[in-house]
Amino acid sequence: MSMVDVIAPVNIALLKYWGKSDYLNIEPITDSLSLTLNSKQLHSRTQISLSPGVEQTFTLDEKHQNLTNRMKDVIIVSQLRAMRKGNFRRFQELHIRSTNNFPTAAGLASSASGLASLAFGLSTLYHLEEDIAALARRGSGSACRSMYGGVVHWKRSATDDKHSSSSVEQLFPHTHWPELRVLICVTSSHQKPVSSSEAMRRTVATSPLFHEARATVVDQRLPRFIDAFRRRDFAALAELTMRESNELHAFCLDSWPPAIYLNSTSFAIMDFVHALNQHMRRCVVAYTFDAGPNAFLLTLADDAPLVLSLLSECFGQVGVGNGEGLRCYGDDLDIKRAR
Ligand code: ADP
Ligand code: DP6
Ligand code: CO
């Protein structure tokens, strides 16, 4: 096969990955948990073809780019795996074309879907079956979670031994909680000022708050998140999710120079969520923000129409437009692996 065409979905971190303990093998300092979206919704599509004797090429969203070092690493590791399996006959140049159907580098997890689709595409091209998540992780840590659907756990390595590594597993399939919905609110589609990689490196290097609190908080929150999913307890999930998002942004601000990701609409959405929950005297909706100003809102199917209509009343027209202003994508969590 000399041409592959694959897609991979984004995943939304609820318990966030923030900080690496090993920059070469991309080992996370803490565990993380995420929800993988339906690949019909936000996804990256990557086409890879082979032809000998011409330079490697890469286009992202139809623009020519240099391959990043992390992409080169994914390519080389996949080629080494192929050589070991005898699936690599002669060197041919790769031509990689990738597109995201949503804003790139804006805090909507494009590195997760993008690098998951690259790892999946290369594994398909070279007929590699083993541990595609470990390959994806080398491209972007969060990408390893997009290789599974549903609720996904990326576990840090159990020991400091350099031969042991982190692992990824699905905790619950999407069918476990079919009423769960994610609304994605795009407050800005601009590229973020500082990449996630750079910001987390800064946090690890400079944030006392991170070093004092992070490991303990994750160890406490992880079983609570799992329990909230097991019991389908939306109120518990909502509080954990919002506290976790707020903590990430506290670390970002505690870093030096600070990484400032949230904009005034992000804060207005946070206010809106707390006001609505208070008004309804129950937990209707929760927010989480990755490293960017765009909100992921969790809600349940019965409440989704109410949340959407109030969002549209408070923030103007929702669901249309292509740039600034608030856009919401409704999503069922019919979660699929990359195909
Ligand atoms: P995000 O919040 O979107 O994940 P990051 O700062 O983590 O933002 O990563 C953005 C970077 O990920 C981009 O600058 C690009 O290098 C890489 N990326 C995004 N989408 C793709 C893709 N489809 N293929 C390859 N690389 C991608
Ligand atoms: C806030 O996976 O984008 O989205 O491994 O350096 O590519 P690299 O970083 P990336 O970081 C994701 C950070 C986050 C939280 C998360 O997805 O868990
Ligand atoms: Co990212």
Side-chain angles (χ1 to χ4, degrees), residues 306-317:
L306 170 76
V307 174
L308 269 170
S309 79
L310 288 174
L311 273 172
S312 123
E313 216 169 279
C314 297
F315 295 95
Q317 216 174 5

Side-chain angles (χ1 to χ4, degrees), residues 44 58 60 68 98 100 104-111 114-115 192 195-196:
S44 301
F58 170 46
L60 175 55
T68 62
S98 192
N100 300 325
T104 298
L108 293 167
S110 69
S111 67
L115 278 299
K192 61 180 83 171
S195 70
S196 298

Side-chain angles (χ1 to χ4, degrees), residues 22 27 30 47 74 148 153 179 256 275 317 334:
D22 176 340
E27 295 294 349
T30 66
Q47 295 161 303
V74 175
Y148 297 87
H153 182 187
E179 298 81 18
W256 197 260
Q317 216 174 5
D334 170 21

Side-chain angles (χ1 to χ4, degrees), residues 87-108:
N87 295 344
F88 192 85
R89 283 183 193 83
R90 66 197 168 105
F91 187 79
Q92 292 190 310
E93 311 293 341
L94 293 171
H95 303 282
I96 301 169
R97 175 172 177 257
S98 192
T99 48
N100 300 325
N101 69 347
F102 62 96
T104 298
L108 293 167

